Amino acid sequence: MRTAVVLFTRDLRIHDNPALALACEEYDSVVPLFVRDPAFTRPPLGGSSARSQFLDEALVGLDEGLRRLGGALHVAVGPVAAAVAGVAAELGGADVVCARDVSPYASRREAELANERRLRLVDSHFAVAAGAVAPAGGTHYQVFSAYHRAWERTTIRPLASTPEQIRLPQAFVPRPPVAAPASGTIVGGEDEGIRRVRAFLRDGLSAYGASGHDDLSIDGTSLLSPYIRFGCVSVPALIARAREQGGDAFVRQLCWREFYAQLLWANPHSVDTDLRPRGDIWEDNPDSYAAWKAGMTGYPLVDAGMRQLLAEGWMHNRARLVTASFLVKHLGIDWREGARHFFDHLLDGDLAQNIGNWQWVAGTGVDTRPNRMFNPSAQLKKLDPNGTYVHRYVPELSHIPGNQLLNPGLLAPDYPAPIVIHEDAVAAFRARRRLEPPASRPSGDAEEHGD
Ligand SMILES: Cc1cc2nc3c(=O)[nH]c(=O)nc-3n(C[C@H](O)[C@H](O)[C@H](O)COP(=O)(O)OP(=O)(O)OC[C@H]3O[C@@H](n4cnc5c(N)ncnc54)[C@H](O)[C@@H]3O)c2cc1C
């Protein structure tokens, strides 16, 4: 009688789950396991309570899905390798099947598990596994456009079949996840993820490529990131469907995710170390940092984004770019401080994506224009000309027409004055980076993320 423990990590789904499919095909009985590792309550992995709520909901959904197939989810607590060893020993010895992952934590987990028993790692989280495409003579890509070209030519991982039945070992009594009380509007889980994928492919994908994904006034992006973060939806399946519908711009964004994943995989130190140091000496300015976190900088777009993060545990990508750039380049505050705050609040908080994007914005990562600054006023004019996004999150400004938001001044006595003057911030940044004085366009305004 051969038994496998399927260690679920962030592949919390039944459809297209290669670990579950392999175990159900090749073993007589299967124990689906999730381990609550205390490492996820501490930095650098711990964080957002909204994210743990989403996880709880996804685990309950996974358990329900497994039960529909005759199985159930067993939840154990403790350092992951010890917890898995405990379950496997209880079963009289079992193989472990698990999805390979890219973070330093995942590498340690894989090494520790392999020490204990037979570990079978499968590719699951990405359409193209980290390291599967690499430039000649290298282990990974450092420039997105080159990665994107190679990635587009690569065959994506074939989809795994959904098991017809899951056979738990006789006499094994699983400990189910604790039922999560209903949360806000973004409910975790595979059923909800699939529903959202269908709705986006039907109603959102066709407008996404035009400028739908840059327009802050509408929900023009998929809002799928928390579901992708926890594997409630299958990325290869999503890519295949989007390609059928001509959704290249959307697929390109999913490619960014894979690009940053292979970057962290190849550079584990980048979690807290500059990939490309620029000799930055960071400002220690608790008041500015606090104003940024609270959405009280006096720049309407920055404040709307930061308040959206606090209110919803999510922020539009364009707002993430502008708020992050403002912290690092206007205020001169270390990107690690910003990454920590984002990670503390984001529902989709994911080490590789958060770090990769923060380093990109800071110019210490893979941006080919490391000294670009996003001008928050120009961005407001471009991305939210009627002020719809700002009005939604900054109520003190809700009575001010979009074309006057750049300078609300006396119209909004409750709203703070700018904590830094844009032109001074540009000059200070350029001096810190020892750059030539700016030419005619001092702000070096934004381009598409990933040009
Ligand atoms: C400073 C900063 C921090 C970020 N931190 C995270 C994070 O912790 N987790 C996270 O998932 N994304 C992060 N992003 C990337 C991006 O903002 C979000 O993935 C996106 O806003 C999610 O919304 P959506 O699902 O509607 O995206 P869509 O526009 O619908 O895109 C579809 C999917 O593509 C992927 N994607 C889109 N843009 C990016 C990008 N720039 N980098 C990597 N993947 C991308 C996501 O998986 C997303 O769900 C960060 C961006 C910035 C600038």
Side-chain angles (χ1 to χ4, degrees):
M1 180 84 174
R2 279 165 35 91
T3 303
V5 171
V6 176
L7 177 60
F8 284 85
T9 56
R10 55 177 179 126
D11 49 347
L12 305 180
R13 63 179 184 277
I14 289 171
H15 76 288
D16 182 39
N17 187 316
L20 183 64
L22 182 147
C24 291
E25 272 159 29
E26 296 191 16
Y27 291 81
D28 303 310
S29 60
V30 171
V31 172
L33 169 69
F34 183 83
V35 177
R36 288 191 176 279
D37 188 330
F40 282 85
T41 59
R42 299 186 295 266
L45 301 170
S48 157
S49 57
R51 198 157 67 241
S52 359
Q53 167 85 27
F54 187 99
L55 169 66
D56 289 348
E57 290 163 356
L59 290 176
V60 169
L62 180 63
D63 183 46
E64 286 166 4
L66 290 164
R67 283 174 193 272
R68 288 199 284 268
L69 298 175
L73 184 65
H74 178 59
V75 178
V77 180
V80 62
V84 173
V87 173
E90 202 184 317
L91 297 167
D95 291 355
V96 177
V97 189
C98 175
R100 181 178 283 120
D101 211 342
V102 295
S103 68
Y105 169 86
S107 305
R108 262 194 320 277
R109 173 175 65 205
E110 288 161 20
E112 288 173 14
L113 289 173
N115 256 342
E116 297 270 350
R117 54 197 348 98
R118 180 161 183 236
L119 172 67
R120 302 184 65 181
L121 289 172
V122 297
D123 291 321
S124 180
H125 303 319
F126 306 104
V128 176
V133 288
T139 56
H140 68 292
Y141 279 95
Q142 301 182 48
V143 175
F144 175 74
S145 49
Y147 177 75
H148 185 227
R149 274 194 301 277
W151 185 88
E152 282 283 346
R153 285 195 302 267
T154 308
T155 311
I156 63 176
R157 167 177 79 64
L159 303 189
S161 54
T162 305
E164 282 171 12
Q165 197 200 357
I166 293 166
R167 296 172 301 276
L168 288 172
Q170 270 180 2
F172 181 80
V173 183
R175 187 182 319 121
V178 179
S183 69
T185 47
I186 301 188
V187 180
E190 182 175 11
D191 289 349
E192 179 65 11
I194 291 173
R195 193 188 67 71
R196 284 174 178 248
V197 166
R198 287 195 184 129
F200 175 70
L201 292 173
R202 188 187 59 230
D203 305 327
L205 185 65
S206 57
Y208 183 95
S211 63
H213 66 296
D214 282 342
D215 186 343
L216 282 167
S217 67
I218 51 166
D219 280 340
T221 64
S222 70
L223 304 170
L224 285 172
S225 52
Y227 298 89
I228 291 172
R229 155 71 181 82
F230 284 103
C232 300
V233 303
S234 147
V235 169
L238 184 59
I239 289 175
R241 293 289 306 280
R243 276 184 176 154
E244 281 164 18
Q245 294 180 223
D248 292 350
F250 177 68
V251 171
R252 186 173 187 275
Q253 291 310 112
L254 289 165
C255 180
W256 269 104
R257 173 177 174 271
E258 311 224 333
F259 173 67
Y260 283 133
Q262 54 104 51
L263 199 64
L264 177 63
W265 167 77
N267 300 280
H269 60 281
S270 66
V271 169
D272 52 15
T273 308
D274 291 341
L275 260 178
R276 300 207 174 100
R278 305 283 176 198
D280 291 306
I281 298 169
W282 303 110
E283 300 284 333
D284 180 19
N285 192 336
D287 289 345
S288 298
Y289 184 44
W292 178 79
K293 287 198 287 190
M296 295 292 280
T297 66
Y299 281 89
L301 179 50
V302 174
D303 294 342
M306 295 310 292
R307 294 191 202 183
Q308 181 180 26
L309 178 65
L310 294 181
E312 298 174 3
W314 194 85
M315 199 199 297
H316 191 288
N317 181 55
R318 299 307 310 187
R320 292 189 206 202
L321 290 167
V322 175
T323 55
S325 168
F326 187 84
L327 182 80
V328 176
K329 289 177 171 165
H330 283 71
L331 302 180
I333 293 176
D334 192 338
W335 63 265
R336 280 157 280 241
E337 297 288 335
R340 188 154 51 86
H341 180 69
F342 268 35
F343 206 68
D344 279 351
H345 291 276
L346 280 174
L347 270 172
D348 62 25
D350 169 315
L351 208 57
Q353 308 313 319
N354 197 41
I355 295 297
N357 274 288
W358 270 96
Q359 293 233 31
W360 186 93
V361 170
T364 57
V366 291
D367 187 2
T368 48
R369 289 173 52 205
N371 297 317
R372 81 171 85 197
M373 283 176 88
F374 287 82
N375 176 340
S377 304
Q379 291 287 305
L380 174 63
K381 224 162 123 186
K382 180 171 152 193
L383 304 171
D384 189 28
N386 300 322
T388 315
Y389 180 70
V390 167
H391 293 156
R392 197 181 312 149
Y393 294 105
V394 188
E396 309 94 282
L397 300 178
S398 59
H399 61 290
I400 301 185
N403 60 5
Q404 291 178 43
L405 277 173
L406 292 184
N407 201 357
L410 294 176
L411 292 172
D414 301 342
Y415 186 66
I419 60 171
V420 64
I421 304 301
H422 174 68
E423 289 70 20
D424 297 349
V426 172
F429 170 70
R430 298 188 74 88
R432 276 199 304 277
R433 287 251 165 120
R434 294 187 186 79
L435 305 170
E436 294 296 311
S440 53
R441 272 181 70 222
S443 62
D445 220 339
E447 292 174 14
E448 190 67 26
H449 184 191
D451 45 77

